[in-house]
Amino acid sequence: MSAPQDTNSASHQLWGGRFEGGIDEAFNHFNRSLPFDKQLVFADIRGSQAWAAALARAGLLTNAEAESLRAGLAKIADAVRAKPSLLDESPEEDVHSFVEGWLIRELGDTGRKLHTGRSRNDQVATDFRLWCRDELDSLVAGLRGLQRAFVERAAAHPTAALPGYTHLQRGQPVLFAHTCLAYVEMLARDEARLIDARKRLNVLPLGSGALAGCAHPVDRAFLAKELGFDDVTHNSLDAVSDRDFVVEILAALSLAGVHLSRFAEDWILYGSSEFAFLELDDSVSTGSSLMPQKKNPDSLELIRGKTGRVVGGLVGILTTLKALPLAYNKDLQEDKEALFDAIRTAAGCLAIATKVVSSVKIRPEKMRDAALKGFLNATELADYLVRKGLPFRTGHEVVGKLVRIALEKGVELENLELKEFQALAPVIGPDVFECLTLEAALKAKALVGGTSPQRVGEEIARHRARLGAK
Ligand code: ARG
């Protein structure tokens, strides 16, 4: 069965009977969703094949009719795969009328039987869930790919240390690997949220009819099994108008976007001449049309910027859903474009972030220089005084004074003389210099979750085991 050219250009209206006048052209354009819901075509075909089988089991179609519908639907899939522009050329209202219209043109009355007991309301709710399920699986794969890239980047630089910041002021030294694994933690939570959303969306609305349920003895459990759903929905009014899954996916992707934008911001800063901790690969950088020396981190800036449209999609759908009466309302057609865009955007951000992380060049000596300046070991000295028996608050005060002396002399704490330390705290001995080294500061953070090389090494192993090989 090929696309009958002459009939593909004719719109197959699903609801013409009670109308006398035709549709206004501008309104038709405004009303149509095929230009975007065409993405659901394979989900719609899959759902329709299951529905045809369920109708046959219920005795509403002969086996021969069900078989010709199944084959007809498979041929539509083949035709669209071979020539996706068929969807753009079609004048149909939406993807559902595109598929059904084609079947009716090809199969006549058999095609006209497919919609028995079904509404576009339970149909679109089913199609969209099927589509989202596949997309969630690839987003999870993308998130895991990026986590792997961070873990391997961490493993490649086991000793590189840089300043850890609070308020963007140097605080305490941390391993570069520890910073990479911080993003892995965020992304692992994003992954868990998507997996959780997938569980909740994986229930079958089909069989809810337009709003009240279905009057025919269709086996919904069979349909759920056929389409890979874990359960069937239990309230038809809710089932046709529930778009919680759209909100949940957009919320999870918004948060993932926020995480990616924080990472992007960090590495944009680290890549600036002021920090010079790392350099992005040429393959993910661009130049300036005017300033010949420029190498710009556009990849990271776009990742940071694109978060805005995903968050916008979340706010959009929440606003659309707010105060919608039971059950289906056409407002719900507005559920798709933002989600399509958010998923495409998130997938792109994940792919590019993975390239950035896998190809970045790290400058451990620059990181180390920065970590050695600015009293990042002041807390070590206060901890040393605690070990010597001083109350922490007293130690904090002593170290503050020592920092002021060092600032006046223009040196670091470890450059002060022992007698200068002892003038303020006689308990200080010559062993103080050991605790002031960068290595000692790192090694001391030995509790689970700390930045000691041992702990970070264990975390790398834990994440590798969790993420597996590609
Ligand atoms: N294109 C519609 C949507 O995306 C399909 C459902 C239309 N249902 C209806 N009763 N008009 O929401």
Side-chain angles (χ1 to χ4, degrees), residues 6-17:
D6 48 338
T7 47
N8 190 43
S9 62
S11 167
H12 167 80
Q13 244 183 18
L14 301 179
W15 39 263

Side-chain angles (χ1 to χ4, degrees), residues 84-103:
S85 64
L86 284 174
L87 289 156
D88 303 311
E89 291 156 10
S90 166
E92 297 288 2
E93 179 185 326
D94 59 23
V95 68
H96 321 294
S97 41
F98 173 83
V99 171
E100 194 183 327
W102 191 318
L103 286 175

Side-chain angles (χ1 to χ4, degrees), residues 328-355:
Y328 180 84
N329 298 272
K330 194 63 174 258
D331 314 45
L332 291 174
Q333 182 165 285
E334 289 295 310
D335 62 355
K336 292 175 200 66
E337 283 168 287
L339 189 68
F340 290 155
D341 184 71
I343 287 179
R344 189 170 6 95
T345 302
C349 290
L350 290 170
I352 299 305
T354 304
K355 283 181 195 286

Side-chain angles (χ1 to χ4, degrees), residues 4 19 21 44 78 81 97 200 212 220 230 239 248 275 290 362 382 385 391 397 402 418 426:
F19 285 79
D44 193 76
D78 288 344
R81 226 172 262 123
S97 41
R200 235 181 330 276
R220 295 189 71 207
D230 298 324
E248 288 192 36
F275 285 78
L290 191 149
I362 298 302
L385 291 172
E397 173 106 25
L402 286 164
L418 184 56

